[in-house]
């Protein structure tokens, strides 16, 4: 039996095969990594718009009288004051303040949705079930029953307004709209995994292929080209956004990860005491951005990879790379890394291990690339 036989497939799998996508394993799913090359797809996303299949991300529905109590205990954000029909970025932490997952918490009129990192779906499900044992709560894993499609890019608002029955261009960041497609209920959310203006839509598997075909083939001048997960990750790194298993894990706390701003005050959530102590003392390391020197005209880009060493001028090791890629927008390699506070100052000159050997790098402000095409020097 081939390895692929053990992997989950989204409801859009046949569409990806028909488009001759390069498929690969992502968090236990066989997903499209690219169609025409990650860099080309990332450029299209920044210049116009792309559509991505994010169905491998976790989608957990929580209902019951105890749902609010559960999420107040589990999540670091201000769950009590989150309004209906909104989505908020939040963290689930352990007792030591380590991050179990970075996810979106969606509050609907009759339920909550926890949108998890792809790799953490089952871990988060078990964690929430453990916290909910004494509560009136029903947790339903919707991941394999539904699909998640994202349209992202600067032209996405106008394109979607032209093809949808309701305008979405006016939807505020974090806004959520619930509607119906034929007889199928969908949830549309303005959240982003790439730093670009984005709408993510959760819909039943039975209508997912129809929606994908419409936006990629049948929308006339408003057709949107598909992009794979490799392009989405390039855009994520350009936006300086953390990814679970790279910038965040259960040994990294919100303060160190640069996510302290989404942690509410108080001591009534899991990990609060530990996070408070770290915030008071100050984190020993900081998440920083590194821009590497561009390659010579006759050389391939020197790409830094996960775990690559970062050295100071005296040859001592300062930290390690957590994400690295070639930025098509900046036309040079970039990386994210954890560095001691002194080394993380903007302008610090360092050296990074790459696929082509050591390369000079400079600490720069995050995000590397602002939404749209604005860049930082």
């Amino acid at each position: 039996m081939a390895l692929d036989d053990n992997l989950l497939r989204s409801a859009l799998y046949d569409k990806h095969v028909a488009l001759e996508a390069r498929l690969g394993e992502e968090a236990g799913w066989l997903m499209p990594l690219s169609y025409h090359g990650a860099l080309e797809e990332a450029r299209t996303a920044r210049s116009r718009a792309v559509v991505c299949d994010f169905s491998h991300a976790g989608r957990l529905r929580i209902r019951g009288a105890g749902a609010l109590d559960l999420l107040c205990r589990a999540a670091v954000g201000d769950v009590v004051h989150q309004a209906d029909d909104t989505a908020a970025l939040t963290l689930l932490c352990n007792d030591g303040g380590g991050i179990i997952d970075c996810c979106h918490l969606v509050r609907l009129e009759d339920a909550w949705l926890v949108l998890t990192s792809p790799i953490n779906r089952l871990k988060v499900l078990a964690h929430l079930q453990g916290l909910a044992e004494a509560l009136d709560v029903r947790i339903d894993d919707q991941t394999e029953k539904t699909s998640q499609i994202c349209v992202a890019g600067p032209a996405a608002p106008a394109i979607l307004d032209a093809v949808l029955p309701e305008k979405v261009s006016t939807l505020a960041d974090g806004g959520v709209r619930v509607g119906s497609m034929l007889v199928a209920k969908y949830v549309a959310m303005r959240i982003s995994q790439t730093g670009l203006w984005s709408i993510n839509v959760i819909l039943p598997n039975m209508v997912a292929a129809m929606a994908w075909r419409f936006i990629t083939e049948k929308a006339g001048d408003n057709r949107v080209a598909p992009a794979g997960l490799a392009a989405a990750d390039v855009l994520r790194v350009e936006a300086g956004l953390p990814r679970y298993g790279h910038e965040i894990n259960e040994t990294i706390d919100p303060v160190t990860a640069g996510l302290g701003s989404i942690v509410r005050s108080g001591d009534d959530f899991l990990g609060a005491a530990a996070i408070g102590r770290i915030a008071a003392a100050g984190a020993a390391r900081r998440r920083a951005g590194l821009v590497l020197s561009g390659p010579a005209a006759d050389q391939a880009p020197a790409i830094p990879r996960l775990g690559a060493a970062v050295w100071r001028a005296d040859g001592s090791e300062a930290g390690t790379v957590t994400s690295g890629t070639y930025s098509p927008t900046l036309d040079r390699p970039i990386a994210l890394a954890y560095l001691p506070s002194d080394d993380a100052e903007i302008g610090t000159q360092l050296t990074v291990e790459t696929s082509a050997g050591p390369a000079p790098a400079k600490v720069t402000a995050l995000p590397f690339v602002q939404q749209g095409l604005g860049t930082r020097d």
Side-chain angles (χ1 to χ4, degrees), residues 184-252:
K185 183 177 178 180
Y186 67 82
V187 180
M189 309 156 291
R190 192 179 155 199
I191 59 174
S192 179
Q193 300 91 335
T194 61
L196 292 169
W197 193 101
S198 305
I199 290 289
N200 277 256
V201 181
I202 298 172
L203 67 172
N205 286 338
M206 65 179 180
V207 296
M210 183 187 307
W212 180 271
R213 185 181 182 204
F214 176 77
I215 197 66
T216 59
E217 299 177 28
K218 299 295 184 180
D221 292 341
N222 293 301
R223 292 191 306 274
V224 179
L229 298 182
D233 202 56
V234 169
L235 295 165
R236 174 193 68 83
V237 179
E238 287 190 333
L241 298 175
R243 176 179 174 181
Y244 203 91
H246 289 247
E247 288 69 41
I248 46 180
N249 56 49
E250 291 199 48
T251 71
I252 302 292

Side-chain angles (χ1 to χ4, degrees), residues 58-62 70 74 92-93 100-101 114 116-117 119-134 137 139-141 143 250 270:
R59 293 174 290 281
L60 310 179
R61 184 177 63 189
I62 303 177
L70 168 63
L92 310 181
C93 292
I100 293 172
D101 196 27
V114 180
T116 79
S117 302
I119 198 172
N120 285 334
R121 190 233 319 184
L122 297 179
K123 181 176 74 169
V124 170
L125 177 61
H127 176 67
L128 293 176
Q129 287 173 333
L131 294 177
E133 284 183 356
V137 171
I139 304 175
D140 180 19
D141 186 355
T143 309
E250 291 199 48
L270 205 60

Side-chain angles (χ1 to χ4, degrees), residues 50-139:
V50 294
V51 59
C52 301
D53 181 5
F54 286 146
S55 298
H56 65 316
R59 293 174 290 281
L60 310 179
R61 184 177 63 189
I62 303 177
R63 289 175 167 171
L68 182 60
D69 289 340
L70 168 63
L71 293 170
C72 283
R73 175 65 174 154
V76 305
D78 189 2
V79 181
V80 170
H81 295 104
Q82 184 172 338
D84 284 350
D85 296 328
T86 62
L89 185 69
T90 196
L91 303 170
L92 310 181
C93 292
N94 58 32
D95 278 325
I99 299 172
I100 293 172
D101 196 27
C102 181
C103 50
H104 279 90
L105 184 59
V106 181
R107 186 169 192 170
L108 305 175
E109 185 176 345
D110 60 348
W112 294 81
L113 299 177
V114 180
L115 309 182
T116 79
S117 302
I119 198 172
N120 285 334
R121 190 233 319 184
L122 297 179
K123 181 176 74 169
V124 170
L125 177 61
H127 176 67
L128 293 176
Q129 287 173 333
L131 294 177
E133 284 183 356
L135 299 173
D136 177 14
V137 171
R138 300 181 303 280
I139 304 175

Side-chain angles (χ1 to χ4, degrees), residues 10-25:
S10 84
L12 301 172
Y13 171 77
D14 289 343
K15 296 295 182 184
H16 304 318
V17 171
L19 289 168
E20 299 183 346
R22 181 171 68 87
L23 301 168
E25 191 273 337

Side-chain angles (χ1 to χ4, degrees), residues 341-354:
S341 294
D342 289 346
D343 296 310
E345 292 297 322
I346 293 173
T348 301
Q349 298 289 335
L350 298 164
T351 300
V352 180
E353 177 188 353
T354 76

